[in-house]
């Protein structure tokens, strides 16, 4: 079974808090248990040794100077009778001889140290019937006038059951668990409270970041306290202020640039219109042979450049209208066949030498701004003929909700490094090429016109070669739906 860690910060904090509480409660319980267990056993041990010493000192003077086995057995029996609630069993050994009495299970190690020393020795052992306390106590007699005691060569052994003490220790373990479980349960409450206090600033930061992402750059947070989260909040406010300042500056610069382009385009329209009228007249003179050959060539060149400049100015004004949100749709119900063939006829593109059309036979109708869709189709077909290879295929498929129009050519396709930039304004695939035949704004204007219809325009390469531009338009569009 795979253990899954909580992913959220709140459950992680709660789990960490509970684990710390559990560890603290466990360590406290273990230390308390060990100290209490040691105190219980030491108290029992000291009390038993003291009582056994008193009984031996009371009964030992009654022993003969050279007691036999019967005397030692009687002595051990009297010690057993004097045990009272202790319930010990005793035995006596003389000069390392066999044990005489009822005590059994005395270890050889205890006998060795008790017979070779003059102090009381004891050990705690585990027995099949429960823990036992073993005591080895040398018996000494009162000596001469100085009150000194002399060894008798006898050693008394006592075996005490520790069942009562074991029950007390078990009760301690139960009490420890009984206290630890509620502690863990109650630890969840402060854990949730701490997680709430810690995560509240984090949630506020997330909410503020979402507001800034949506464009509310004036979002700020109140700084509460002087901890790390307060410092983080202050840094966030500083960042938001910098973003607001930079955003305002960028918007101002962008507005100035748009206004500049629009003003320049507007100011150029009138002189360019006059220049176009003059160059049209000069074109007739140049083609009729009135002007000298060199002058005629210069006039035709100037006329061509003037027309290109006039077209660029018109494109710049159109882009300015898109940027300013002033572009509007004039919707009308038109048939697909009429829309496509009108575009081809106005530009003089022949079928099927230059353009092949594959349109649905039922001639679906759609609600669009016919002028803007004509601009889109003319730009795509013109680019395909200019940069690709004829014939260009215009293929359309329609559903109840949408219309798809593909404009594909038989050229080499679009390089991969260029494909993602084809809709950029003034982008040139060949950086070394100083000028282009068009304004560099045609595809950008086509994209904006399609977006104005709530549609999409994408570019791709066909598997067999050639580029394809795909227009996706909704079949129905209301006047109030325009951006």
């Amino acid at each position: 079974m795979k253990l899954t860690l909580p992913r959220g910060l709140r459950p992680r904090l709660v789990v960490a808090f509970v684990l710390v509480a559990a560890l603290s409660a466990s360590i406290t319980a273990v230390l308390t248990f060990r100290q209490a267990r040691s105190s219980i056993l030491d108290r029992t041990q000291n009390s038993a040794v003291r009582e056994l010493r008193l009984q031996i000192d009371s009964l030992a003077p009654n022993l003969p100077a050279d007691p036999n086995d019967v005397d030692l057995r009687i002595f051990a029996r009297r010690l057993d009778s004097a045990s009272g609630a202790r319930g010990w069993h005793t035995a006596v050994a003389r000069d390392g001889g066999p044990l005489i009495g009822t005590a059994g299970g005395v270890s050889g190690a205890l006998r060795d140290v008790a017979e070779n020393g003059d102090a009381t020795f004891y050990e705690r052992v585990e027995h099949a019937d429960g823990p036992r306390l073993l005591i080895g106590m040398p018996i000494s007699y009162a000596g001469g006038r100085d009150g000194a005691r002399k060894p008798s060569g006898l050693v008394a052994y006592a075996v005490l059951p520790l069942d009562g003490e074991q029950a007390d220790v078990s009760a301690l373990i139960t009490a420890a668990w009984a206290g630890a479980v509620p502690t863990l349960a109650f630890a969840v409450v402060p854990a949730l409270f701490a997680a709430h206090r810690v995560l509240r600033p984090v949630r506020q930061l997330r909410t503020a970041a979402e507001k800034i992402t949506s464009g509310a750059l004036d979002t700020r947070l109140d700084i509460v306290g002087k901890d790390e989260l307060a410092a983080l909040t202050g840094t966030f406010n500083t960042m938001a202020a910098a973003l607001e300042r930079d955003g305002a500056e960028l918007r101002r610069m962008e507005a100035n640039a748009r206004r500049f382009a629009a003003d320049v385009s507007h100011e150029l329209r009138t002189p360019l219109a006059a220049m176009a009228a003059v160059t049209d007249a000069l074109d007739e003179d140049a083609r009729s042979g009135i002007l000298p050959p060199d002058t005629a060539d210069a006039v035709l060149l100037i006329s061509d450049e003037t027309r290109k400049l006039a077209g660029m100015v018109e494109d710049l004004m159109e882009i300015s209208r898109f940027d300013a949100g002033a572009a509007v749709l004039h919707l009308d119900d038109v048939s697909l066949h009429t829309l496509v063939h009108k575009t081809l006829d106005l530009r003089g593109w022949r079928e099927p030498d230059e353009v092949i059309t594959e349109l649905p036979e039922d001639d679906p109708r759609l609600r669009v701004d016919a002028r803007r869709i004509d601009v889109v189709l003319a730009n795509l077909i013109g680019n395909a003929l200019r940069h690709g290879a004829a014939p260009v295929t215009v293929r359309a498929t329609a559903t109840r909700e949408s219309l798809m129009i593909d404009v594909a050519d038989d050229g080499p396709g679009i390089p991969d490094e260029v494909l993602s930039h084809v809709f950029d304004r003034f982008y040139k695939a060949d950086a070394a090429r100083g000028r282009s035949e068009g304004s560099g704004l045609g595809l950008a204007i086509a994209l904006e016109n399609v977006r104005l219809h709530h549609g999409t325009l994408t570019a791709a390469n066909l598997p067999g070669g050639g580029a394809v531009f795909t227009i996706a338009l909704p079949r129905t569009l209301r006047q109030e739906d325009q951006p």
Side-chain angles (χ1 to χ4, degrees):
M1 181 178 178
K2 185 178 180 181
L3 181 61
T4 302
L5 296 177
R7 296 184 178 181
L9 190 55
R10 177 192 292 271
R12 288 183 181 180
L13 286 175
V14 173
V15 170
F17 198 100
V18 172
L19 288 178
V20 170
L23 181 62
S24 301
S26 299
I27 293 176
T28 302
V30 169
L31 294 178
T32 303
F33 163 73
R34 292 185 61 182
Q35 185 65 30
R37 178 178 179 274
S38 178
S39 298
I40 292 173
L41 294 179
D42 289 345
R43 184 176 66 250
T44 300
Q45 174 181 290
N46 295 334
S47 176
V49 170
R50 185 171 56 254
E51 292 182 13
L52 182 61
R53 169 62 64 185
L54 290 174
Q55 295 300 328
I56 290 177
D57 289 344
S58 175
L59 297 175
N62 298 326
L63 285 172
D66 186 18
N68 55 29
D69 291 349
V70 175
D71 295 330
L72 294 179
R73 186 172 288 106
I74 293 173
F75 178 75
R77 189 178 299 116
R78 289 178 178 176
L79 285 177
D80 290 347
S81 300
S83 65
R86 294 290 179 186
W88 62 47
H89 295 274
T90 59
V92 183
R94 179 174 47 195
D95 297 328
L99 294 177
I100 299 174
T102 59
V106 179
S107 65
L110 180 63
R111 293 197 61 181
D112 290 341
V113 296
E115 291 169 359
N116 296 322
D118 56 358
T120 301
F121 299 92
Y122 51 83
E123 64 175 341
R124 289 191 289 265
V125 298
E126 291 294 333
H127 192 267
D129 296 332
R132 296 288 186 265
L133 174 63
L134 308 181
I135 303 175
M137 184 178 294
I139 300 175
S140 58
Y141 294 116
R145 296 177 182 178
D146 57 357
R149 303 179 69 86
K150 60 180 181 179
S152 65
L154 301 175
V155 179
Y157 297 95
V159 178
L160 284 76
L162 297 177
D163 296 338
E165 287 72 13
Q166 180 67 28
D168 293 340
V169 172
S170 299
L172 280 176
I173 296 175
T174 303
W177 279 110
V181 172
T183 300
L184 294 180
F186 286 119
V188 176
V189 177
L192 291 173
F193 177 75
H196 175 74
R197 291 292 301 273
V198 171
L199 292 181
R200 182 169 58 184
V202 177
R203 288 194 299 269
Q204 292 175 347
L205 285 171
R206 183 188 64 183
T207 302
E210 291 174 350
K211 290 181 179 179
I212 289 181
T213 302
S214 62
L217 298 181
D218 58 343
T219 302
R220 301 293 185 274
L221 293 174
D222 295 332
I223 300 177
V224 179
K226 297 182 179 180
D227 54 9
E228 291 80 359
L229 289 174
L232 178 60
T233 303
T235 304
F236 176 86
N237 288 339
T238 303
M239 178 197 69
L243 285 175
E244 184 179 18
R245 183 173 59 254
D246 295 343
E249 181 66 17
L250 287 174
R251 286 192 297 270
R252 185 187 65 79
M253 294 174 61
E254 185 179 5
N256 289 340
R258 290 175 179 174
R259 185 165 55 252
F260 175 78
D263 292 344
V264 169
S265 301
H266 181 75
E267 293 298 328
L268 287 176
R269 287 188 78 180
T270 301
L272 282 175
M275 292 173 61
V278 173
T279 54
D280 288 343
L282 292 176
D283 281 348
E284 295 180 2
D285 294 341
R287 292 190 178 93
S288 62
I290 298 176
L291 299 177
D294 293 342
T295 304
D297 292 340
V299 167
L300 292 175
L301 177 61
I302 292 174
S303 177
D304 184 55
E305 293 299 324
T306 301
R307 282 191 292 269
K308 289 181 179 179
L309 183 58
M312 179 178 292
V313 169
E314 291 296 330
D315 289 344
L316 284 173
M317 294 191 66
E318 185 72 3
I319 285 291
S320 299
R321 283 190 285 269
F322 284 122
D323 291 341
V328 295
L329 293 176
H330 299 285
L331 300 177
D332 194 11
D333 289 327
V334 297
S335 70
L336 177 62
H337 287 211
T338 301
L339 193 62
V340 173
H341 288 295
K342 184 177 180 180
T343 299
L344 300 181
D345 295 339
L346 288 175
R347 276 78 181 178
W349 291 325
R350 302 180 305 276
E351 295 184 78
D353 298 332
E354 294 178 304
V355 180
I356 298 175
T357 58
E358 298 179 3
L359 308 178
E361 295 182 358
D362 56 354
D363 192 11
R365 301 188 66 84
L366 60 159
R367 186 168 178 78
V368 294
D369 187 327
R371 183 189 67 84
R372 295 187 180 276
I373 298 302
D374 172 73
V375 171
V376 175
L377 291 175
N379 183 277
L380 297 182
I381 297 173
N383 281 345
L385 291 172
R386 188 180 307 113
H387 302 293
V392 175
T393 302
V394 179
R395 181 180 298 107
T397 56
T399 64
R400 292 185 58 184
E401 293 81 17
S402 63
L403 176 71
M404 305 287 289
I405 303 176
D406 293 333
V407 179
D409 62 60
D410 289 335
I414 304 173
D416 293 337
E417 64 275 10
V418 177
L419 194 58
S420 59
H421 300 284
V422 294
F423 297 108
D424 294 349
R425 299 175 184 181
F426 299 108
Y427 180 78
K428 294 181 180 180
D430 185 3
R433 183 162 50 93
R435 294 197 57 215
S436 59
E437 187 173 344
S439 65
L441 296 173
L443 287 176
I445 293 175
L447 178 62
E448 294 296 340
N449 277 319
V450 173
R451 286 177 175 173
L452 204 61
H453 287 81
H454 294 288
T456 60
L457 176 60
T458 57
N461 287 316
L462 295 171
V468 57
F469 287 80
T470 302
I471 307 169
L473 296 172
R475 288 284 297 274
T476 57
L477 190 68
R478 296 173 299 178
Q479 191 74 35
E480 56 269 22
D481 290 336
Q482 62 178 300

